[in-house]
Amino acid sequence: MKNFRNAIYKHGHTIVVCMLVTTLVLAVITVRSGILDRTDFKQQDQLIPVDASDDQAIPMNLGVYVENIYNFSPNQKTFDAEGWVWLTWPQAAQDIFAVNGIPSSQMLDFVNSVNGWDFAMTPEHSEPIRLPNGSYYQNFRYSGHFYANELNFRQFPFQTLRLAQTFELNSEDEALNAKHVRLIPDTAESGTGEYIDIMGYITHGSEIKTFIHNYGTNFGLADSDGEPTKKISQIRFEVIYKKSITSSILELFLPLVTVMALVMFAPMLSSSLWDVRLGLPPMVLLTLIFLQQGYKTELPDLPYVTFLDTIYNLCYLTTLILFCLFMWGSNKLDEASDMERAKVIAQINAMDLRFQIGLTIALIGLGTINWFVVGTQTP
């Protein structure tokens, strides 16, 4: 028992440091896994990707040309857009519209439009025009405020933004149900104009996709086939933006790497300079906090941790571990007698080298692994 107490007294600092490091590592893993924020809430609505062709439903071609995107607000998850959208449909679809009294101006619905008072959709023709092949055609000029539902900043500062404009056939008319009429994207003619660039991002193009929107409810009215849910054909036109890799590295990572280089080279200082060694980690921690708060102003209040957040968390942990190492070394040196001093300094230097190499490898390795973990997560 006495020997056990002596061992505790002699290695007390080491035990405390190990317990602290273990606790911090477990805390980081727990927070990073997101287990504390898990919820059982599930959306009733479902988006089901579908092929462009369908044998049963009548096809309606839909094309989009976005002329202007502006007023993008990450905090509000909104943006303004202007452009054209057109529909082309065959005689079979026109017969359905005529029987059910559905005018062309009421066929289309902008699902993610907000601020209805500020939205405008003006048909180019008072009535649909007849094309030489017998199909009907109507073109609309639109402008409005849209909600960007799928913003994903998990990979910040290398994230990809997709600003979508979502079109559906009017869900109020049963004749426009997905089993009757299906929207087909006009990929050949859809595109973007020259005024779609967003400050701070590089425009990478656009995509047009088709879905079946299963609303998860029939709004209290069963359809003619007794379906428990309403299914509407949907087309989503997305403009894709990415942050500049060069500017992100120079603006966000270069200062971080410079600061971390100071603390990672600190173990190379002589152990006799204990006051300098102990002063570096607190200074680096304060600098890291300042740098992190700087880039946080570019982001909305997110419910998850970004890639760069995790890198900073690893840097915090690395700096704290080195501070604990320096405390251990200074205490060992202070307790050593003159005869043991050379041996203790050699022991501290060896320990410093192990931690320096190990922490550098761990920082790079965990940062790389985190990138692939973040890349697999969805909004």
Side-chain angles (χ1 to χ4, degrees):
M1 189 69 178
K2 185 177 180 180
N3 292 334
F4 177 75
R5 289 178 180 176
N6 291 335
I8 292 294
Y9 177 78
K10 183 177 180 181
H11 302 286
H13 296 100
T14 304
I15 295 174
V16 170
V17 170
C18 292
M19 292 179 61
L20 177 62
V21 171
T22 303
T23 303
L24 289 173
V25 170
L26 292 176
V28 170
I29 294 175
T30 302
V31 172
R32 190 64 188 87
S33 66
I35 193 173
L36 300 177
D37 297 321
R38 287 182 180 174
T39 176
D40 294 329
F41 174 75
K42 293 182 179 180
Q43 295 283 352
Q44 287 184 293
D45 284 16
Q46 294 180 335
L47 279 181
I48 306 172
V50 294
D51 294 330
S53 60
D54 187 276
D55 296 332
Q56 299 178 355
I58 300 173
M60 287 185 66
N61 288 333
L62 183 145
V64 187
Y65 188 84
V66 181
E67 182 184 30
N68 194 357
I69 290 180
Y70 55 101
N71 286 344
F72 171 57
S73 173
N75 289 306
Q76 301 296 325
K77 297 181 69 174
T78 57
F79 65 96
D80 291 335
E82 298 176 350
W84 288 269
V85 57
W86 59 88
L87 289 168
T88 307
W89 61 94
Q91 182 64 51
Q94 179 63 24
D95 293 340
I96 293 178
F97 303 151
V99 170
N100 292 273
I102 303 174
S104 61
S105 59
Q106 297 180 9
M107 292 179 186
L108 207 57
D109 184 22
F110 284 71
V111 179
N112 63 328
S113 172
V114 295
N115 295 345
W117 57 268
D118 195 28
F119 180 80
M121 186 173 72
T122 306
E124 184 178 352
H125 310 282
S126 58
E127 295 292 335
I129 63 175
R130 200 75 180 268
L131 300 179
N133 62 1
S135 298
Y136 291 82
Y137 170 88
Q138 181 61 280
N139 190 17
F140 302 90
R141 170 75 178 179
Y142 72 89
S143 65
H145 206 52
F146 298 92
Y147 185 72
N149 186 50
E150 295 186 351
L151 292 185
N152 187 352
F153 291 96
R154 285 182 171 85
Q155 293 181 321
F156 179 85
F158 305 115
Q159 76 276 8
T160 298
L161 294 186
R162 293 177 175 267
L163 300 187
Q165 294 164 65
T166 306
F167 309 89
E168 286 185 1
L169 293 175
N170 197 326
S171 58
E172 297 179 1
D173 292 297
E174 172 59 25
L176 299 181
N177 194 292
K179 63 178 176 290
H180 300 146
V181 181
R182 181 70 55 84
L183 289 176
I184 306 297
D186 188 351
T187 55
E189 299 297 331
S190 297
T192 57
E194 59 179 324
Y195 301 108
I196 61 169
D197 293 337
I198 293 178
M199 188 66 69
Y201 290 87
I202 298 175
T203 306
H204 273 251
S206 61
E207 291 182 359
I208 188 167
K209 305 174 182 177
T210 181
F211 300 90
I212 295 296
H213 185 183
N214 185 345
Y215 272 88
T217 179
N218 58 17
F219 301 99
L221 295 173
D223 63 15
S224 58
D225 294 334
E227 288 282 346
T229 60
K230 186 176 288 293
K231 298 180 179 180
I232 303 296
S233 183
Q234 179 185 109
I235 280 186
R236 179 176 300 177
F237 185 83
E238 299 176 341
V239 183
I240 304 169
Y241 302 91
K242 292 185 179 181
K243 292 286 286 187
S244 170
I245 296 178
T246 302
S247 64
S248 296
I249 292 176
L250 294 178
E251 294 177 9
L252 298 175
F253 280 92
L254 183 59
L256 176 61
V257 171
T258 303
V259 170
M260 286 306 297
L262 294 177
V263 73
M264 295 306 295
F265 284 124
M268 300 177 66
L269 290 170
S270 173
S271 54
S272 61
L273 300 174
W274 59 269
D275 53 342
V276 177
R277 285 156 60 96
L278 287 175
L280 275 174
M283 179 194 69
V284 169
L285 284 174
L286 291 175
T287 306
L288 289 175
I289 294 173
F290 174 77
L291 291 175
Q292 188 174 32
Q293 293 304 312
Y295 79 76
K296 281 290 190 180
T297 59
E298 302 180 23
L299 297 172
D301 188 12
L302 301 173
Y304 50 80
V305 179
T306 67
F307 169 71
L308 191 56
D309 287 336
T310 305
I311 297 298
Y312 268 86
N313 292 339
L314 292 173
C315 292
Y316 289 140
L317 183 59
T318 300
T319 305
L320 192 55
I321 291 174
L322 286 176
F323 182 68
C324 295
L325 175 66
F326 295 159
M327 284 197 303
W328 170 82
S330 63
N331 289 334
K332 290 282 291 184
L333 194 61
D334 183 67
E335 295 171 359
S337 62
D338 293 339
M339 295 181 59
E340 298 175 335
R341 192 173 182 84
K343 181 179 179 181
V344 170
I345 289 177
Q347 182 183 0
I348 293 173
N349 291 339
M351 189 66 68
D352 287 345
L353 181 61
R354 295 193 192 101
F355 269 80
Q356 188 179 31
I357 296 174
L359 289 175
T360 302
I361 295 175
L363 190 60
I364 297 174
L366 292 175
T368 303
I369 293 172
N370 176 68
W371 172 257
F372 292 103
V373 171
V374 168
T376 60
Q377 296 178 341
T378 56

